[in-house]
Amino acid sequence: MYVTARNLFHVIAVSLAAQGSLAEEGQTALEIVDLTTEENRSLALEDYQWKNRLLVVMADTGNDPRYTEQLDLLKERADQLVERDVIVLQDTDPSAESRLRSTLRPRGFAIVLVGKDGQIRLRKPFPWSVREIGRAIDKSPLRQQELRRGG
């Protein structure tokens, strides 16, 4: 099967779920949303507010080495993102003119972590490991509350 960089995120999530490599029973696969599709171009940060944390991964092309490295890093520990209620939004096509690309205005490659409150928690112009992303999430007051409640 031929896999393009554009749909690699989806392939990763599906294959991880099929292999049962996500942590505990009952967990679902890491949700990946392609912002360049017609139905997803108009998605906004508010659409996920108070439900999920977002990790937005953007590049000018799916062939950007930083983009593919970020995919590999996410694949290695997808279960830790699921555990923290993270949904990954990806956009590798500036010409698709997604609403989030207009809002976040990346310059080339960027990852943006958005809290459940809709606030941008961090921006990075280079790939970050899930461990580092998890630490950034775990420092937030809302995540601290979730951990105290056992969630």
Side-chain angles (χ1 to χ4, degrees):
M1 176 173 109
Y2 178 73
V3 178
T4 65
R6 189 175 193 158
N7 67 8
L8 184 59
F9 256 145
H10 180 71
V11 171
I12 290 167
V14 170
S15 73
L16 284 173
Q19 294 170 13
S21 62
L22 292 177
E24 299 170 12
E25 190 175 313
Q27 265 187 324
T28 59
L30 180 62
E31 185 176 344
I32 311 296
V33 178
D34 184 353
L35 295 172
T36 63
T37 64
E38 187 67 37
E39 66 270 13
N40 295 334
R41 279 187 199 141
S42 63
L43 288 174
L45 297 178
E46 300 81 37
D47 296 330
Y48 295 93
Q49 195 167 8
W50 303 117
K51 296 179 242 168
N52 296 96
R53 292 175 181 89
L54 302 175
L55 182 64
V56 185
V57 182
M58 296 186 164
D60 290 342
T61 173
N63 295 323
D64 185 322
R66 296 167 297 182
Y67 174 77
T68 54
E69 180 183 351
Q70 186 65 67
L71 291 180
D72 291 341
L73 292 169
L74 296 177
K75 177 176 77 169
E76 289 172 8
R77 298 201 172 165
D79 59 317
Q80 292 180 19
L81 295 172
V82 171
E83 178 182 306
R84 290 171 174 86
D85 299 326
V86 173
I87 291 179
V88 177
L89 305 178
Q90 61 133 357
D91 182 337
T92 57
D93 183 5
S95 67
E97 299 178 353
S98 71
R99 183 172 176 187
L100 277 177
R101 184 174 284 275
S102 296
T103 300
L104 300 174
R105 302 176 156 248
R107 293 185 180 142
F109 176 83
I111 63 167
V112 180
L113 178 64
V114 181
K116 284 186 176 181
D117 60 0
Q119 298 300 306
I120 294 172
R121 298 288 173 215
L122 69 85
R123 286 176 180 263
K124 295 292 176 186
F126 48 83
W128 246 35
S129 73
V130 171
R131 184 175 182 181
E132 293 167 314
I133 294 166
R135 283 183 185 160
I137 291 170
D138 291 346
K139 289 179 186 177
S140 76
L142 184 56
R143 179 64 178 157
Q144 290 294 312
Q145 280 182 336
E146 291 171 353
L147 292 170
R148 281 192 295 274
R149 286 185 292 192

